[in-house]
Structures are given as C-alpha cells and as structure tokens.
C-alpha cells in the first residue's frame, strides 16, 4: 500500500477555492482540477496568473505567486516583464507586507514572484487553518498590488 497525499491536496484546494470565491469572486479560476500541486487564477492579461503552488517536496512550502508565462509570445518576454516589475521590488514588497522571492531562473519560458509559507499537508487542522488564512490574504494582497502594474506593462 502506497501512501499518497493527493486526496488531502484535493480537499485543501477545494476549501481554498471556495473561500477565495466568497471574498473575491472577481478572480476567475484557470485551473479546473483539484488534484494538482498548483492552482491558478487568470489575471486578465494573457500569460499572467495568480495562484498557489506546493513547492518541491524538499521545501515543504505553499507558495502564493504571480507567474508570468509567455511561451506563446515573443521569446524572452516573460523575463522582460519580470525585470520591469523587479525595478519596483521594494515598493511592491512594502505594499504586500512581506518579502517575496523573485525567481527568473527555474523555468526556461516562465518566471514567478512568490511568498512562501511552511506547510505539512498531514498537519493538524489548526495548523492547516493558519496556512489557509495566510494563503487567502496573500493572494488578495498580491493581486491588489500587482494588477495595476501588470496593466501598465506592454
């Protein structure tokens, strides 16, 4: 018998999605299934997505992120947008209220900007509740802070 965390992840996503929809129905789901290690929302601009992601297993973190994926556009465009946003790093982090990781190296065609929180999917309910509360607040702060800046990118 092999232990899997997929059912726990599905329940975790379903709860987060419902909670976010209750407080921010304007964010439209990009992801349709709850059995993945990430869940995305459209930003309204092609190639820009807000979302949550379980970090690689050795990290044991939940990331709230803005990912920029322009693989269907001009080559290198994601990194150009990333660099324009990075010029405003201090102002963005001050608005959001926490430090972000600015990752332009992990994927060839995409970049991400994220806040991280430790998580154990098998943790007690109280511990998961703290992570969920953080995730709901973090994605809203990220969207509120980044949306006007994304709109200005050309």
């Amino acid at each position: 018998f092999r232990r899997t965390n997929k059912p726990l992840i599905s329940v975790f996503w379903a709860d987060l999605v419902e909670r976010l929809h209750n407080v921010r129905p304007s964010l439209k789901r990009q992801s349709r299934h709850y059995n993945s290690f990430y869940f995305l929302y459209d930003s309204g601009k092609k190639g820009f997505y807000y979302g949550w992601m379980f970090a690689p297993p050795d990290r044991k973190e939940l990331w709230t992120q803005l990912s920029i994926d322009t693989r269907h556009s001009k080559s290198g465009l994601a990194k150009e947008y990333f660099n324009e946003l990075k010029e405003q790093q201090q102002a963005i982090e001050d608005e959001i209220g926490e430090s972000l990781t600015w990752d332009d190296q992990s994927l060839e065609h995409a970049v991400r900007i994220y806040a991280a929180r430790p998580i154990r999917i098998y943790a007690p309910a109280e511990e998961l509740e703290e992570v969920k509360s953080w995730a709901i607040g973090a994605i809203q702060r990220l969207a509120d802070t980044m949306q006007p800046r994304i709109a200005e990118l050309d």
Side-chain angles (χ1 to χ4, degrees):
F1 179 72
R2 196 176 121 203
R3 184 176 180 178
T4 179
N5 59 6
K6 284 187 177 184
L8 295 173
I9 290 172
S10 295
V11 170
F12 185 86
W13 286 149
D15 188 33
L16 271 184
V17 167
E18 181 179 340
R19 289 181 190 199
L20 184 60
H21 179 73
N22 288 337
V23 296
R24 186 66 71 89
S26 61
L27 280 176
K28 302 297 179 206
R29 287 174 33 180
Q30 173 72 19
S31 299
R32 296 290 172 219
H33 304 287
Y34 297 132
N35 62 353
S36 185
F37 66 95
Y38 64 91
F39 205 88
L40 299 177
Y41 289 87
D42 284 322
S43 73
K45 183 169 184 154
K46 186 176 180 171
F48 289 76
Y49 305 97
Y50 300 110
W52 297 298
M53 179 176 155
F54 284 101
D58 61 316
R59 300 276 303 268
K60 294 183 176 54
E61 293 175 333
L62 178 69
W63 295 348
T64 298
Q65 67 182 9
L66 169 66
S67 59
I68 307 170
D69 183 344
T70 57
R71 76 180 88 192
H72 303 296
S73 306
K74 181 180 130 192
S75 177
L77 196 55
K79 289 192 180 181
E80 287 179 33
Y81 289 147
F82 176 90
N83 289 333
E84 287 185 48
L85 292 169
K86 190 157 177 45
E87 290 174 6
Q88 303 172 59
Q89 179 176 355
Q90 190 61 55
I92 289 169
E93 291 178 355
D94 288 348
E95 276 183 56
I96 290 173
E98 63 185 294
S99 295
L100 302 172
T101 299
W102 297 73
D103 179 6
D104 66 346
Q105 301 297 315
S106 62
L107 299 169
E108 181 180 328
H109 58 273
V111 297
R112 70 178 121 236
I113 302 162
Y114 65 90
R117 184 74 169 237
I119 187 171
R120 293 177 310 122
I121 199 68
Y122 296 103
E126 307 80 42
E127 190 177 318
L128 288 176
E129 184 59 37
E130 288 178 26
V131 174
K132 289 176 185 178
S133 294
W134 169 81
I136 294 296
I139 201 167
Q140 291 182 86
R141 289 188 305 275
L142 187 64
D144 291 345
T145 300
M146 299 303 261
Q147 201 60 33
R149 291 171 168 90
I150 291 170
E152 292 176 357
L153 297 172
D154 42 333

